[in-house]
Amino acid sequence: TEPNDGAVGLPALGDTDGNGKFEIGLPGFNDGFRCLDPETGQVLWAVPPHGQGASNCVSADINGDGMDEFIFANGSTLLAVAKRNGEVKIFWQTELPASIQNIVVDDVDDDDDGNAEILAGGSDGVLYCIK
């Protein structure tokens, strides 16, 4: 990457366009989130920053469309993003009470619905669960 512009968040691998190949999601560049081609390192698409700092990135099919979305936080803003039909899309974003540093996606509740929740560790010591 460019000098003084390395990603500050940990990456994720996901097939966000449904072509059967992984892309790399990297949060925390000066210009925001970048999706990279793992074979060439080329930036495929980007999302401007929505706050200061970045959490790790995870990928999951959060909306059941058969393709992954990248999920990450900028400061206290949690986002789910991907590119569909040639358009970069923010599927949703939500504000949490504290800056988010780490996230994980898993089915953690006990309702046996098979739907994943997002666990987000805040700088205030609270673990937030987003359904």
Side-chain angles (χ1 to χ4, degrees), residues 16-18 65 67 82-89 91:
T16 62
D17 57 12
D65 67 357
M67 292 181 273
K83 188 173 183 179
R84 298 288 195 277
N85 302 318
E87 181 181 340
V88 176
K89 183 174 179 182
F91 284 86

PDB file of all heavy atoms in Angstrom, residues 16-18 65 67 82-89 91:
ATOM      1  N   THR A  16     -17.964 -11.969  -2.342  1.00  0.00           N
ATOM      2  CA  THR A  16     -19.024 -10.961  -2.234  1.00  0.00           C
ATOM      3  C   THR A  16     -19.733 -10.674  -3.554  1.00  0.00           C
ATOM      4  O   THR A  16     -20.720  -9.945  -3.558  1.00  0.00           O
ATOM      5  CB  THR A  16     -18.467  -9.641  -1.667  1.00  0.00           C
ATOM      6  OG1 THR A  16     -17.469  -9.127  -2.555  1.00  0.00           O
ATOM      7  CG2 THR A  16     -17.885  -9.847  -0.289  1.00  0.00           C
ATOM      8  N   ASP A  17     -19.252 -11.255  -4.645  1.00  0.00           N
ATOM      9  CA  ASP A  17     -19.929 -11.018  -5.920  1.00  0.00           C
ATOM     10  C   ASP A  17     -20.495 -12.298  -6.530  1.00  0.00           C
ATOM     11  O   ASP A  17     -21.069 -12.273  -7.617  1.00  0.00           O
ATOM     12  CB  ASP A  17     -19.012 -10.307  -6.915  1.00  0.00           C
ATOM     13  CG  ASP A  17     -17.725 -11.067  -7.186  1.00  0.00           C
ATOM     14  OD1 ASP A  17     -17.613 -12.249  -6.788  1.00  0.00           O
ATOM     15  OD2 ASP A  17     -16.824 -10.477  -7.794  1.00  0.00           O
ATOM     16  N   GLY A  18     -20.336 -13.435  -5.827  1.00  0.00           N
ATOM     17  CA  GLY A  18     -20.926 -14.687  -6.268  1.00  0.00           C
ATOM     18  C   GLY A  18     -20.241 -15.357  -7.438  1.00  0.00           C
ATOM     19  O   GLY A  18     -20.801 -16.270  -8.044  1.00  0.00           O
ATOM     20  N   ASP A  65     -28.827 -13.982   0.558  1.00  0.00           N
ATOM     21  CA  ASP A  65     -28.864 -13.935  -0.903  1.00  0.00           C
ATOM     22  C   ASP A  65     -27.849 -14.874  -1.552  1.00  0.00           C
ATOM     23  O   ASP A  65     -27.699 -14.885  -2.770  1.00  0.00           O
ATOM     24  CB  ASP A  65     -28.681 -12.514  -1.417  1.00  0.00           C
ATOM     25  CG  ASP A  65     -27.296 -11.933  -1.152  1.00  0.00           C
ATOM     26  OD1 ASP A  65     -26.457 -12.603  -0.508  1.00  0.00           O
ATOM     27  OD2 ASP A  65     -27.045 -10.791  -1.575  1.00  0.00           O
ATOM     28  N   MET A  67     -24.594 -14.737  -1.227  1.00  0.00           N
ATOM     29  CA  MET A  67     -23.293 -14.097  -1.388  1.00  0.00           C
ATOM     30  C   MET A  67     -22.893 -13.436  -0.078  1.00  0.00           C
ATOM     31  O   MET A  67     -23.743 -12.976   0.681  1.00  0.00           O
ATOM     32  CB  MET A  67     -23.345 -13.059  -2.508  1.00  0.00           C
ATOM     33  CG  MET A  67     -23.525 -13.668  -3.881  1.00  0.00           C
ATOM     34  SD  MET A  67     -23.557 -12.442  -5.189  1.00  0.00           S
ATOM     35  CE  MET A  67     -25.282 -12.008  -5.189  1.00  0.00           C
ATOM     36  N   ALA A  82     -21.010  -4.601   0.251  1.00  0.00           N
ATOM     37  CA  ALA A  82     -20.621  -5.497  -0.846  1.00  0.00           C
ATOM     38  C   ALA A  82     -20.910  -4.780  -2.155  1.00  0.00           C
ATOM     39  O   ALA A  82     -21.486  -3.688  -2.162  1.00  0.00           O
ATOM     40  CB  ALA A  82     -21.384  -6.816  -0.781  1.00  0.00           C
ATOM     41  N   LYS A  83     -20.505  -5.406  -3.235  1.00  0.00           N
ATOM     42  CA  LYS A  83     -20.801  -4.868  -4.563  1.00  0.00           C
ATOM     43  C   LYS A  83     -21.765  -5.826  -5.237  1.00  0.00           C
ATOM     44  O   LYS A  83     -21.497  -7.025  -5.335  1.00  0.00           O
ATOM     45  CB  LYS A  83     -19.521  -4.716  -5.383  1.00  0.00           C
ATOM     46  CG  LYS A  83     -19.720  -3.998  -6.691  1.00  0.00           C
ATOM     47  CD  LYS A  83     -18.379  -3.729  -7.362  1.00  0.00           C
ATOM     48  CE  LYS A  83     -18.559  -2.935  -8.636  1.00  0.00           C
ATOM     49  NZ  LYS A  83     -17.255  -2.664  -9.276  1.00  0.00           N
ATOM     50  N   ARG A  84     -22.881  -5.295  -5.694  1.00  0.00           N
ATOM     51  CA  ARG A  84     -23.894  -6.096  -6.379  1.00  0.00           C
ATOM     52  C   ARG A  84     -24.287  -5.401  -7.674  1.00  0.00           C
ATOM     53  O   ARG A  84     -24.548  -4.196  -7.677  1.00  0.00           O
ATOM     54  CB  ARG A  84     -25.157  -6.257  -5.523  1.00  0.00           C
ATOM     55  CG  ARG A  84     -24.943  -6.985  -4.220  1.00  0.00           C
ATOM     56  CD  ARG A  84     -24.707  -8.480  -4.435  1.00  0.00           C
ATOM     57  NE  ARG A  84     -24.850  -9.215  -3.210  1.00  0.00           N
ATOM     58  CZ  ARG A  84     -23.911  -9.362  -2.300  1.00  0.00           C
ATOM     59  NH1 ARG A  84     -22.734  -8.811  -2.474  1.00  0.00           N
ATOM     60  NH2 ARG A  84     -24.134 -10.040  -1.205  1.00  0.00           N
ATOM     61  N   ASN A  85     -24.344  -6.163  -8.744  1.00  0.00           N
ATOM     62  CA  ASN A  85     -24.765  -5.628 -10.045  1.00  0.00           C
ATOM     63  C   ASN A  85     -23.991  -4.377 -10.424  1.00  0.00           C
ATOM     64  O   ASN A  85     -24.567  -3.396 -10.909  1.00  0.00           O
ATOM     65  CB  ASN A  85     -26.271  -5.356 -10.059  1.00  0.00           C
ATOM     66  CG  ASN A  85     -27.072  -6.604  -9.762  1.00  0.00           C
ATOM     67  OD1 ASN A  85     -26.757  -7.684 -10.263  1.00  0.00           O
ATOM     68  ND2 ASN A  85     -28.081  -6.468  -8.939  1.00  0.00           N
ATOM     69  N   GLY A  86     -22.674  -4.398 -10.146  1.00  0.00           N
ATOM     70  CA  GLY A  86     -21.809  -3.285 -10.517  1.00  0.00           C
ATOM     71  C   GLY A  86     -21.873  -2.087  -9.597  1.00  0.00           C
ATOM     72  O   GLY A  86     -21.208  -1.085  -9.844  1.00  0.00           O
ATOM     73  N   GLU A  87     -22.655  -2.154  -8.528  1.00  0.00           N
ATOM     74  CA  GLU A  87     -22.821  -1.004  -7.625  1.00  0.00           C
ATOM     75  C   GLU A  87     -22.360  -1.355  -6.206  1.00  0.00           C
ATOM     76  O   GLU A  87     -22.774  -2.384  -5.651  1.00  0.00           O
ATOM     77  CB  GLU A  87     -24.291  -0.602  -7.592  1.00  0.00           C
ATOM     78  CG  GLU A  87     -24.589   0.583  -6.711  1.00  0.00           C
ATOM     79  CD  GLU A  87     -26.077   0.914  -6.696  1.00  0.00           C
ATOM     80  OE1 GLU A  87     -26.805   0.497  -7.614  1.00  0.00           O
ATOM     81  OE2 GLU A  87     -26.489   1.595  -5.752  1.00  0.00           O
ATOM     82  N   VAL A  88     -21.506  -0.503  -5.636  1.00  0.00           N
ATOM     83  CA  VAL A  88     -21.094  -0.683  -4.250  1.00  0.00           C
ATOM     84  C   VAL A  88     -22.281  -0.322  -3.370  1.00  0.00           C
ATOM     85  O   VAL A  88     -22.896   0.727  -3.530  1.00  0.00           O
ATOM     86  CB  VAL A  88     -19.875   0.198  -3.899  1.00  0.00           C
ATOM     87  CG1 VAL A  88     -19.524   0.058  -2.433  1.00  0.00           C
ATOM     88  CG2 VAL A  88     -18.687  -0.180  -4.768  1.00  0.00           C
ATOM     89  N   LYS A  89     -22.609  -1.233  -2.463  1.00  0.00           N
ATOM     90  CA  LYS A  89     -23.826  -1.058  -1.668  1.00  0.00           C
ATOM     91  C   LYS A  89     -23.518  -1.190  -0.178  1.00  0.00           C
ATOM     92  O   LYS A  89     -22.842  -2.136   0.235  1.00  0.00           O
ATOM     93  CB  LYS A  89     -24.855  -2.103  -2.090  1.00  0.00           C
ATOM     94  CG  LYS A  89     -26.175  -1.971  -1.401  1.00  0.00           C
ATOM     95  CD  LYS A  89     -27.185  -2.934  -1.978  1.00  0.00           C
ATOM     96  CE  LYS A  89     -28.492  -2.777  -1.225  1.00  0.00           C
ATOM     97  NZ  LYS A  89     -29.499  -3.706  -1.689  1.00  0.00           N
ATOM     98  N   PHE A  91     -25.373  -2.269   2.772  1.00  0.00           N
ATOM     99  CA  PHE A  91     -26.623  -2.970   3.049  1.00  0.00           C
ATOM    100  C   PHE A  91     -27.301  -2.406   4.282  1.00  0.00           C
ATOM    101  O   PHE A  91     -28.515  -2.296   4.332  1.00  0.00           O
ATOM    102  CB  PHE A  91     -26.374  -4.473   3.200  1.00  0.00           C
ATOM    103  CG  PHE A  91     -26.149  -5.140   1.889  1.00  0.00           C
ATOM    104  CD1 PHE A  91     -24.890  -5.173   1.326  1.00  0.00           C
ATOM    105  CD2 PHE A  91     -27.195  -5.706   1.193  1.00  0.00           C
ATOM    106  CE1 PHE A  91     -24.677  -5.762   0.103  1.00  0.00           C
ATOM    107  CE2 PHE A  91     -26.995  -6.304  -0.039  1.00  0.00           C
ATOM    108  CZ  PHE A  91     -25.727  -6.325  -0.584  1.00  0.00           C
TER     109      PHE A  91
END
